[in-house]
Amino acid sequence: MRNTSGDPLYYLFEQHLFNALVEDEGTDAFLARVVDDYVMRLIATGTVIPREVLPTIENDLREEVLEMLRKKTYGHFSLADFRRAKNIEAVPTAPPANDPAQNEKARRNRRAC
């Protein structure tokens, strides 16, 4: 079993898994999104990946993410089925503008600081 504490790939995997912005996302699209995001983060942190080995690294990452996905979604027919079972919905980026209760709560929180 992998030690997932502090594992950036696993963290990114869960971040994408529990963020259902794409409701009908298939397994291949999910794998591609996680792997692309991970590789881009590696490059952004200064990791040098030679162009010749990039496809091999991406294939290895895809296999690893697929294994994590299979273990995490075991017993569900698809990624969408898993998300429905877990009640994972798209996360709103901003609170509703016309919600007076939310505005009052935000105002009280600002005063408390």
Side-chain angles (χ1 to χ4, degrees), residues 9 15-16 33 52 54 56 70 77 82-83 92 108:
L9 180 60
Q15 190 176 28
H16 283 285
R33 207 162 46 98
E52 300 82 29
L54 183 59
T56 304
R70 286 178 178 158
F77 293 113
F82 171 80
R83 286 177 171 159
R108 278 182 288 177

Side-chain angles (χ1 to χ4, degrees), residues 3-4 10 21 31 36 39 45 49 56 58 61 64 69 72 75 78 83 87 92 103-104 109-110:
N3 180 6
T4 57
Y10 186 77
L21 293 178
L31 295 175
D36 289 345
V39 169
T45 60
I49 303 173
T56 304
E58 288 176 334
L61 288 169
E64 190 167 345
L69 182 64
K72 196 74 166 180
S78 66
R83 286 177 171 159
N87 278 339
N103 292 339
E104 180 60 31
N109 286 343
R110 280 194 300 267

Side-chain angles (χ1 to χ4, degrees), residues 95-106:
N98 296 332
D99 185 2
Q102 191 73 1
N103 292 339
E104 180 60 31
K105 184 176 179 182

Side-chain angles (χ1 to χ4, degrees), residues 32-91:
R33 207 162 46 98
V34 173
V35 169
D36 289 345
D37 196 6
Y38 185 72
V39 169
M40 295 308 291
R41 288 181 188 214
L42 284 177
I43 292 170
T45 60
T47 303
V48 177
I49 303 173
R51 190 173 299 171
E52 300 82 29
V53 297
L54 183 59
T56 304
I57 291 172
E58 288 176 334
N59 284 336
D60 288 347
L61 288 169
R62 191 170 285 109
E63 288 175 14
E64 190 167 345
V65 172
L66 179 60
E67 182 180 340
M68 288 189 284
L69 182 64
R70 286 178 178 158
K71 289 178 180 181
K72 196 74 166 180
T73 62
Y74 181 79
H76 300 278
F77 293 113
S78 66
L79 180 57
D81 183 48
F82 171 80
R83 286 177 171 159
R84 275 191 299 276
K86 299 293 183 184
N87 278 339
I88 301 170
E89 298 176 5
V91 178

Side-chain angles (χ1 to χ4, degrees), residues 12-33:
L12 188 63
F13 162 77
E14 280 204 330
Q15 190 176 28
H16 283 285
L17 181 64
F18 292 111
N19 184 6
L21 293 178
V22 184
E23 289 181 19
D24 293 330
E25 181 177 45
T27 302
D28 291 336
F30 176 79
L31 295 175
R33 207 162 46 98

